[in-house]
Amino acid sequence: MQIWPHKHIHTLASFSIEDYKTVFELANRFDALKNAGTKKIPALQGNLVTSLFFEASTRTKNSFELAAKRLSADVQTFAPSSSSLTKGETIIDTAITYSAMGADTLVIRHSSSYITFEIAKKLDAINSKTSVLNAGDGLHSHPSQGLLDIYTLIKFFSKRSLRPEVLNSKKILIIGDVNHSRVARSNLWALSAFGAEIILCGPKTLVPDEFDNFLKTPSPNQIEDPVKSRGSITISRSLEESIKIADAIIVLRLQKERMMENLLSSIDSYSLDYGLTPEKLSLNSKKIPVLHPGPINRGIEISSKIVDEYPNCLINNQVANGIPIRMALLYLLSKYKK
Ligand code: CP
């Protein structure tokens, strides 16, 4: 295997096609091992993975911790409410403290966009060997979710062996609150890297017109795009018309506070226009896959009938695929030449 080129993982904007393929191939190998009955391997014995979640999480936190355990790493968890943050310690000093304890990787979730860049910069400045892995920062990025989402789609569309190229020219419809979604931003980088034609659908307040320029927005400190040719982004206001032409759908969670911010007239009218129901889904003649990063609001952005009964609803596949993807990320960071 090639040497992994990233000490820290902040955003998929910096991933090359080779980086994606390395992650997917490794995740596929971990998956195959698990399916053959080998759930735990000694790959990261002696390695310390510390999860620093300053924001709530069910899926990401637990699957990173499980992924670390499956690789035989030691896992250290952190609860903000009982930590020295309550005595005024800063987040940066908290990260430095865990690095000094010997953390090989800090898996960090925080409500501030770009905070992982700041933490990594500070750690690098003191010659720390600790890697930083972004598990969701503000509205900016959620790279492991973006990776597991497209891994799930690639597995669905690949007939036999895993072929990321199957996403080329596929029309992937993303519905909902794109503007406040770090998951959507990571999906845009990942899907476009493999030539997908992405359709963003929602009201202007949640999917502003400027999003068709998103792929031209550079990431902090990034000079050039490592992907030579990307797919496209278009914006649609009609869910029905978009569903008719889609090859796959990713539904985003509606954050109810958006109504208080006057971005929506009511939750009911949002659901009527943009909630995914079996009736709307039946406008597409194929049994297209439906994904949602979770947590879901049943009956708001997606109906229970789709979640519970639609055969190609892949929400639980996404959760399951998160484990080998996160195993691959933790393993690869350990291969960065420290
Ligand atoms: N998809 C996602 O990030 O879920 P959690 O908030 O439960 O981690």
Side-chain angles (χ1 to χ4, degrees):
M1 181 186 297
Q2 66 177 61
I3 291 171
W4 179 248
H6 305 282
K7 179 177 179 187
H8 309 291
I9 297 175
H10 301 292
T11 165
L12 297 181
S14 64
F15 265 44
S16 67
I17 296 293
E18 289 67 33
D19 296 337
Y20 285 105
K21 287 186 173 175
T22 303
V23 173
F24 297 148
E25 280 160 22
L26 195 52
N28 211 30
R29 274 160 56 190
F30 288 139
D31 226 2
L33 277 173
K34 193 204 79 182
N35 294 338
T38 308
K39 281 193 178 167
K40 192 160 178 155
I41 56 171
L44 289 191
Q45 217 155 40
N47 198 286
L48 177 58
V49 174
T50 302
S51 82
L52 297 179
F53 278 65
F54 299 90
E55 242 192 19
S57 167
T58 295
R59 279 147 285 269
T60 314
K61 181 175 190 291
N62 289 294
S63 78
F64 263 119
E65 290 173 9
L66 184 57
K69 288 175 188 165
R70 293 250 164 105
L71 294 166
S72 306
D74 294 323
V75 177
Q76 200 174 30
T77 59
F78 157 84
S81 60
S82 58
S83 76
S84 289
L85 283 178
T86 58
K87 302 177 200 163
E89 189 163 46
T90 65
I91 288 155
I92 302 274
D93 284 332
T94 303
I96 291 172
T97 301
Y98 280 105
S99 172
M101 283 187 219
D104 291 283
T105 303
L106 298 179
V107 179
I108 300 177
R109 170 170 289 191
H110 196 276
S111 57
S112 294
S113 298
Y114 310 114
I115 187 110
T116 65
F117 286 105
E118 219 180 300
I119 293 171
K121 195 170 155 197
K122 186 72 190 182
L123 291 174
D124 290 347
I126 58 167
N127 295 321
S128 158
K129 290 195 167 74
T130 306
S131 290
V132 170
L133 208 173
N134 184 358
D137 63 325
L139 306 183
H140 167 239
S141 174
H142 192 346
S144 63
Q145 183 72 45
L147 289 165
L148 75 88
D149 288 348
I150 76 159
Y151 181 66
T152 302
L153 282 171
I154 292 165
K155 278 177 74 150
F156 180 87
F157 286 120
S158 296
K159 293 280 175 269
R160 286 194 190 87
S161 59
L162 206 66
R163 290 183 52 250
E165 296 76 17
V166 292
L167 292 179
N168 191 39
S169 300
K170 286 269 190 295
K171 290 185 171 48
I172 313 292
L173 170 60
I174 302 181
I175 308 168
D177 191 2
V178 174
N179 201 27
H180 300 95
S181 174
R182 56 194 174 207
V183 174
R185 286 175 174 80
S186 290
N187 282 334
L188 293 178
W189 289 117
L191 289 165
S192 65
F194 290 97
E197 295 172 12
I198 305 154
I199 306 163
L200 303 179
C201 186
K204 260 180 193 258
T205 47
L206 302 185
V207 187
D209 289 334
E210 305 82 80
F211 257 92
D212 57 6
N213 261 326
F214 175 81
L215 297 172
K216 296 185 188 96
T217 316
S219 239
N221 313 322
Q222 197 171 315
I223 295 150
E224 64 178 50
D225 188 344
V227 175
K228 294 285 164 277
S229 166
R230 289 191 179 268
S232 59
I233 298 177
T234 54
I235 293 175
S236 163
R237 305 290 171 206
S238 164
L239 183 55
E240 283 79 1
E241 291 310 310
S242 307
I243 287 174
K244 283 179 195 165
I245 57 168
D247 294 301
I249 297 178
I250 299 174
V251 183
L252 300 174
R253 182 168 72 92
L254 182 74
Q255 296 171 39
K256 293 173 196 156
E257 59 270 28
R258 300 304 165 219
M259 217 189 87
M260 312 303 283
E261 294 164 14
N262 294 324
L263 297 178
L264 294 171
S265 53
S266 79
I267 299 284
D268 285 349
S269 75
Y270 176 83
S271 289
L272 204 61
D273 292 340
Y274 294 106
L276 190 64
T277 60
E279 294 71 33
K280 288 181 194 149
L281 194 52
S282 69
L283 293 170
N284 190 305
S285 56
K286 298 172 282 180
K287 285 264 174 277
I288 58 173
V290 173
L291 289 78
H292 188 310
I296 57 173
N297 293 304
R298 286 172 181 263
I300 296 179
E301 71 267 3
I302 188 164
S303 88
S304 275
K305 260 195 162 333
I306 294 177
V307 176
D308 298 330
E309 295 170 28
Y310 181 60
N312 286 340
C313 177
L314 303 184
I315 295 173
N316 291 334
N317 304 54
Q318 288 170 272
V319 174
N321 289 334
I323 299 160
I325 286 289
R326 290 173 174 127
M327 287 171 78
L329 295 177
L330 292 172
Y331 179 82
L332 288 166
L333 286 178
S334 81
K335 293 293 151 206
Y336 176 81
K337 213 162 167 41
K338 294 182 184 181

